[in-house]
Amino acid sequence: MPGTTIMIKGTELGTVADLEGKYSIEVPDEATELVFSFIGMQTQSTKIEGNFIEAILVADVMALQ
C-alpha cells in the first residue's frame, strides 16, 4: 500500500512504501522483524526471512469508528 511505514523493530530505522507499494531498506544483521503500519490499518510485525518480505495490512475496525 503506498505510504505504508516500514520500521526495523526496536530501532528508529525505517522507510515509506512508494506509489506502487514497494520499498527498500538496509537491515542490520541483528534485526529480526519489520513493522508495517498505515493509518486506519492494524500494525503488523513480520519476521525477516530472505530478501523479499510482503505484508498484507488489515483494516483496524476500532480505529475507524
Side-chain angles (χ1 to χ4, degrees), residues 11-45:
T11 73
E12 293 186 18
L13 303 173
T15 190
V16 177
D18 67 15
L19 292 175
E20 295 178 358
K22 296 179 182 179
Y23 67 95
S24 177
I25 188 169
E26 286 194 37
V27 179
D29 291 337
E30 64 274 6
T32 59
E33 290 185 58
L34 292 180
V35 179
F36 297 82
S37 61
F38 190 83
I39 295 173
M41 306 299 271
Q42 293 177 3
T43 299
Q44 178 184 342
S45 293

Side-chain angles (χ1 to χ4, degrees), residues 42-57:
Q42 293 177 3
T43 299
Q44 178 184 342
S45 293
T46 303
K47 288 195 179 268
I48 298 171
E49 296 175 344
N51 293 327
F52 180 80
I53 299 173
E54 183 176 48
I56 299 173
L57 299 178

